[in-house]
Amino acid sequence: MGSLPQEIRSDPPAVRAPLDAGDFRRAVGRFATGVTVLTTVTEGRHLGMTANSFVSVSLDPLLVLASIRRDARFHAPLLAAGVWGVSVLAADMTEASRFFARRAYEQPGDMFAQWPHTIGGQTGVVLLDGALSVFECRTVSTHAGGDHTLVVGEVVSFAQPRDDADPLVFFEGKYLDLAPSREAVPAQDGGAKRI
């Protein structure tokens, strides 16, 4: 077996001071993300949680990934159910984001009662009305990732119900208001695009 070229060989790791988790969290928080509500259904109960760790993985097949803390109340039900939904939140859905990030599990009964929603036809999971995009997924693999589980799902249904709203964006621990900075600029094809 040949050796690796010098440019991709790694030297033995140097002894370093441990990196601080709080500093790391602040540094990662400078990566602006969209915001989603993930949903699942288990034993007839619909559950949800806010997440910004959602990403497209593959176009063939259609795969997406969500990263879930192992100590989250949503973790075990999601893994048991094997189906989940993603609602990509619009800028006017800040309250839904806050609710599913903190208070959802404190509510008796149906945590979705106050939020307009539909039930996905392929998986039976909740999809929030007013979302920019919605996805229904079936879990195809899970991977341990430190204190999280990476859940890869095959998209079995998706829709883009709204094109009239800006996305909800999270940056440095707060929601951004994109409206003041958006303006029309010429696109290369002669049309206008918004930034």
Side-chain angles (χ1 to χ4, degrees):
M1 199 157 109
S3 64
L4 292 172
Q6 177 64 38
E7 61 272 12
I8 61 172
R9 259 184 280 170
S10 63
D11 294 324
V15 176
R16 301 180 199 173
L19 300 177
D20 181 77
D23 290 341
F24 175 75
R25 185 176 182 134
R26 285 186 288 279
V28 169
R30 296 185 59 80
F31 178 63
T33 67
V35 183
T36 70
V37 169
L38 304 180
T39 56
T40 194
V41 58
T42 181
E43 298 177 357
R45 183 166 185 224
H46 292 280
L47 303 170
M49 71 168 257
T50 300
N52 63 346
S53 54
F54 167 73
V55 63
S56 168
V57 173
S58 168
L59 293 176
D60 184 17
L62 298 179
L63 299 176
V64 294
L65 177 147
S67 177
I68 313 295
R69 279 187 68 97
R70 290 202 322 256
D71 63 359
R73 285 180 276 191
F74 188 77
H75 183 268
L78 171 65
L79 295 188
V83 293
W84 41 290
V86 183
S87 298
V88 178
L89 302 188
D92 57 8
M93 299 179 78
T94 304
E95 286 311 309
S97 173
R98 288 190 175 113
F99 177 84
F100 289 101
R102 294 198 180 100
R103 299 186 307 274
Y105 285 83
E106 299 166 9
Q107 305 299 309
D110 181 4
M111 71 172 60
F112 293 94
Q114 71 185 53
W115 305 102
H117 62 274
T118 57
I119 301 298
Q122 298 297 312
T123 61
V125 299
V126 165
L127 303 170
L128 294 180
D129 294 351
L132 297 178
S133 298
V134 293
F135 303 86
E136 291 182 81
C137 307
R138 294 190 191 282
T139 302
V140 295
S141 63
T142 61
H143 308 274
D147 58 5
H148 282 61
T149 298
L150 308 179
V151 182
V152 179
E154 181 173 11
V155 176
V156 296
S157 174
F158 68 91
Q160 299 170 49
R162 286 183 75 184
D163 60 5
D164 65 336
D166 289 327
L168 184 59
V169 177
F170 197 67
F171 178 73
E172 290 189 330
K174 59 186 177 285
Y175 301 105
L176 291 185
D177 181 3
L178 299 181
S181 65
R182 291 176 61 93
E183 59 186 55
V185 297
Q188 290 185 2
D189 63 1
K193 67 178 181 178
R194 295 184 72 191
I195 61 168

